Amino acid sequence: MIQLRNLNKVYKGAQGEFHAVKDLNLDIREDDFYGIMGLSGAGKSTLIRMINRLEEPTSGEIVVNGENILEYSEGKLREFRKKTGMIFQHFNLLQSRTVEGNVAFALEVAGWDKKKIPERVEELLNLVELGDKARSYPAQLSGGQKQRVAIARALANNPKILLSDEATSALDPKTTKSILELLKNLQEKLGLTIVLITHQMEVIRSACNRAAIMDRGEVVEVGKVEEVFANPKTDIAREFVSHLAPDEKDEVELVKVPGRKIVKLSYMGRSVEKPLISQMIRRFDIDASIVAGSIDKLVTESVGHLILELSGEKQDLAIEWIRDHEVGVEVIYNG
């Protein structure tokens, strides 16, 4: 649905050029809940703002449903933006308007028939579970309620694409969870494609089916969320998921023994539910002590990590056997 091809954004300033996005290629499919993650300055906000041309690329292509939107006329771009909703970290609500007035504003700007606006506003507020706050002002709302108003406003013109620019960063964990649940429900109900940027791996874990990790303007890792969690390939990805997996560096120092191996297992999906460790112990007559472990339930799969200390004559055979069962194995100490 959205194809980003050789996308670049270069800012020119007194200190010279700053390459915010570098030769970026990304494919976002219809109905994806796509997470783009990176540290501050990684280029993720610039990237998402280029998707609806709030930022103009320096070069490259943005292809949506087969059309390069960089070739759109001003009128066609306005129509495209109507079908591309956007929500922001700081809500961007009009303080002088009520909740219903804020949502109505998006419809007024889009040229809706004034007689149809009240009904549409009511429908949208019910959709985000704020029907009882229609006549409240933003100052009277919690952060989560403000974001729900912003979501309702973003959905006013029946968009097919919803862009989220750090929409949960200003919220506490409990409210973040409720907003992500709302977005997932809306995606399913309305058939949305959602592109979300964040610096919080918990957000990716809770909501997304696919993810890309950015570093210094480049996409350094991309794939299904469970693949990124189970087997991160880059240092930045490993850093992001490290709090969800045991820290082998700290734990391994405690158990290094000559003649024994310490291995890290990464597994997903049905492998999480199988008693592979107990089968391995019986089959190869070895001992396996669990040093650390975790299982995380993601949107599409469960992902597990275990660090084991192995002892016995058939350690190598046991490792090869468990690899054959679609479990990632990394030997982190070979005594």
Side-chain angles (χ1 to χ4, degrees), residues 122-257:
E122 182 179 4
E123 178 186 359
L124 288 163
L125 291 180
N126 287 333
L127 199 60
V128 299
E129 302 171 1
L130 279 183
D132 61 335
K133 299 291 184 181
R135 289 180 170 79
S136 298
Y137 285 87
Q140 299 171 300
L141 304 179
S142 67
Q145 290 169 334
K146 290 176 183 178
Q147 195 57 279
R148 286 172 183 265
V149 177
I151 292 169
R153 184 183 58 191
L155 297 174
N157 292 295
N158 295 304
K160 301 308 293 181
I161 299 170
L162 184 62
L163 307 177
S164 171
D165 188 357
E166 297 273 14
T168 61
S169 295
L171 305 176
D172 62 77
K174 184 177 179 181
T175 306
T176 292
K177 183 178 179 180
S178 71
I179 292 297
L180 293 175
E181 286 295 331
L182 173 65
L183 289 174
K184 287 193 289 184
N185 291 337
L186 291 172
Q187 182 196 30
E188 184 176 345
K189 187 178 294 184
L190 303 177
L192 296 170
T193 298
I194 298 179
V195 184
L196 173 149
I197 68 164
T198 183
H199 63 271
Q200 300 168 297
M201 188 53 97
E202 293 84 355
V203 171
I204 301 289
R205 176 180 62 181
S206 299
C208 302
N209 67 307
R210 293 182 66 82
I213 296 179
M214 291 188 67
D215 186 31
R216 301 178 185 179
E218 299 178 282
V219 168
V220 296
E221 193 151 345
V222 63
K224 295 179 180 179
V225 169
E226 62 267 23
E227 293 171 349
V228 174
F229 272 71
N231 187 28
K233 297 179 177 62
T234 59
D235 289 342
I236 188 73
R238 284 190 284 271
E239 180 181 342
F240 281 138
V241 303
S242 62
H243 68 288
L244 300 173
D247 188 341
E248 61 265 32
K249 292 182 181 178
D250 293 340
E251 299 289 350
V252 168
E253 293 297 328
L254 302 175
V255 294
K256 287 181 179 178
V257 177

Side-chain angles (χ1 to χ4, degrees), residues 281-335:
I281 292 170
R282 291 194 301 269
R283 186 182 185 96
F284 296 97
D285 192 25
I286 64 171
D287 291 325
S289 300
I290 297 176
V291 178
S294 65
I295 295 177
D296 288 281
K297 293 188 180 299
L298 308 179
V299 175
T300 53
E301 295 276 9
S302 293
V303 171
H305 299 274
L306 275 180
I307 292 180
L308 301 179
E309 180 190 62
L310 304 180
S311 60
E313 295 182 1
K314 298 181 180 179
Q315 296 174 47
D316 292 334
L317 290 175
I319 289 171
E320 290 307 311
W321 179 84
I322 206 162
R323 277 194 176 119
D324 289 340
H325 286 77
E326 299 181 348
V327 175
V329 182
E330 178 187 357
V331 178
I332 53 181
Y333 173 72
N334 193 354

